[in-house]
Amino acid sequence: MESNRRSIAKALSWRVLATIITTCLVYWLTGKGEFAATVGLADTLIKFALYFAHERIWNRIDYGRPKTEPEYSI
């Protein structure tokens, strides 16, 4: 299970790359820098929150994880 801190770090690193891609794409399509930056910022804020929630939900799901035996102590 990952910590909240690790999930945040992963989300941030991905969002930086994705924001650059989105901003460049919007600029390439429209030629408007301010508009591209606004779309990039909105995209980042929305998707960062959704990605973090998605990660936290998947941490509660056992699908695809190896099963472990419970530890018993005497």
Side-chain angles (χ1 to χ4, degrees):
M1 186 159 175
E2 291 188 345
S3 68
N4 285 346
R5 194 176 202 173
R6 180 173 165 84
S7 292
I8 290 171
K10 286 172 59 180
L12 281 173
S13 67
W14 170 248
R15 285 313 319 151
V16 167
L17 178 60
T19 297
I20 291 168
I21 293 167
T22 298
T23 302
C24 290
L25 179 63
V26 172
Y27 181 74
W28 179 70
L29 291 171
T30 66
K32 298 178 181 181
E34 188 176 331
F35 179 67
T38 301
V39 171
L41 178 62
D43 179 67
T44 296
L45 295 175
I46 293 166
K47 289 183 179 174
F48 175 79
L50 292 174
Y51 178 83
F52 180 77
H54 181 262
E55 280 284 307
R56 301 317 300 165
I57 291 167
W58 268 97
N59 272 335
R60 295 172 185 235
I61 298 171
D62 288 333
Y63 176 78
R65 290 185 177 164
K67 301 211 185 287
T68 57
E69 296 295 323
E71 293 183 28
Y72 297 102
S73 59
I74 299 176

